[in-house]
Amino acid sequence: DAINSTSGLLTYEDNGGPNTYSQVWTGTTYNARSSMSSTPADSRWFREVASPKTGEKIVALIDNDSSPVDPLYIFTWDGDDWGGGTPSVTIATLSTSADLTAPFDIAYEELSGDVLFVYSNYSSNQLVYRRKPAGGAWPGSSSNAGTAYDVYKRWVRLEAQFGSDSILVGYLNNNERVGAMIWDGSSDTFGDQFADNAGTATATSDERAFDIA
């Protein structure tokens, strides 16, 4: 599963039980499915991204579970396997309805190959993040992402800027208001924030009524 190859990686949930699977696309066929993990009970909102530097791929998802409450999981594919199926990161949210939307997203910085994961705990108005350096490990705790405005966020979207280490972060809160900010990977800071506490509201926050590019 090397960078710039014609291969790909498909990940999905098994509705018949607490299993997630993956299959490698070789360029001509799909290999037999193999276990990604049996940790999530009922996986939702898969988000898979590929490193611009190596064959690494990362999958983030939310689990419809009660203990821990609707946890967020991150799994890492090193080009050969999923590290025994153990999640690289496990983060509990604070609401049993968090799995109804995708309150998280993940993206690689284009130049460095570092990974940014931004999420909402479905309770606080403060978005938080974790960042994994290329070839390194995820930190054990999260940090604040930008300034906290209004209420908790229900949807989060990340989009890496081509040819830089900047990532655009967009989000929609529980009051149907949209916000955005820019992650600068060269300084490890969030800036140019578009506050989500004023302005025209969308029709609903039950759907992702915005996008970024």
Side-chain angles (χ1 to χ4, degrees):
D1 186 29
I3 189 71
N4 296 325
S5 75
T6 57
S7 65
L9 185 67
L10 171 69
T11 55
Y12 55 94
E13 181 207 22
D14 176 8
N15 284 331
N19 294 293
T20 51
Y21 293 101
S22 66
Q23 290 182 242
V24 172
W25 167 251
T26 66
T28 57
T29 188
Y30 287 100
N31 288 344
R33 76 176 187 181
S34 59
S35 176
M36 176 176 147
S37 179
S38 60
T39 297
D42 184 9
S43 305
R44 309 278 177 92
W45 301 106
F46 280 63
R47 179 73 167 110
E48 182 176 335
V49 292
S51 169
K53 298 294 185 181
T54 70
E56 179 183 83
K57 300 184 191 302
I58 289 181
V59 172
L61 58 86
I62 191 168
D63 190 17
N64 176 26
D65 201 359
S66 58
S67 181
V69 175
D70 280 7
L72 299 166
Y73 290 115
I74 298 176
F75 296 93
T76 303
W77 170 265
D78 64 5
D80 295 303
D81 60 46
W82 294 102
T86 301
S88 302
V89 175
T90 301
I91 303 169
T93 63
L94 298 177
S95 172
T96 55
S97 60
D99 63 278
L100 297 178
T101 63
F104 67 93
D105 203 2
I106 194 164
Y108 280 92
E109 296 174 2
E110 288 280 336
L111 297 181
S112 70
D114 295 348
V115 191
L116 181 69
F117 179 64
V118 179
Y119 68 96
S120 162
N121 68 6
Y122 238 68
S123 176
S124 169
N125 62 348
Q126 178 68 64
L127 282 173
V128 284
Y129 78 98
R130 295 193 190 190
R131 181 181 186 236
K132 183 183 86 68
W138 289 99
S141 60
S142 303
S143 302
N144 290 343
T147 301
Y149 292 107
D150 210 22
V151 295
Y152 72 87
K153 323 309 177 192
R154 299 192 71 195
W155 299 90
V156 178
R157 273 275 288 119
L158 271 60
E159 188 70 29
Q161 182 180 17
F162 180 75
S164 80
D165 284 332
S166 295
I167 297 174
L168 176 59
V169 182
Y171 42 92
L172 177 63
N173 72 28
N174 195 47
N175 282 336
E176 292 81 45
R177 297 191 186 281
V178 174
M181 56 187 166
I182 305 293
W183 165 260
D184 182 348
S186 62
S187 61
D188 296 349
T189 58
F190 291 92
D192 298 308
Q193 189 162 0
F194 178 77
D196 58 319
N197 61 347
T200 303
T202 62
T204 179
S205 63
D206 292 336
E207 300 173 359
R208 201 192 75 196
F210 77 99
D211 205 2
I212 56 175

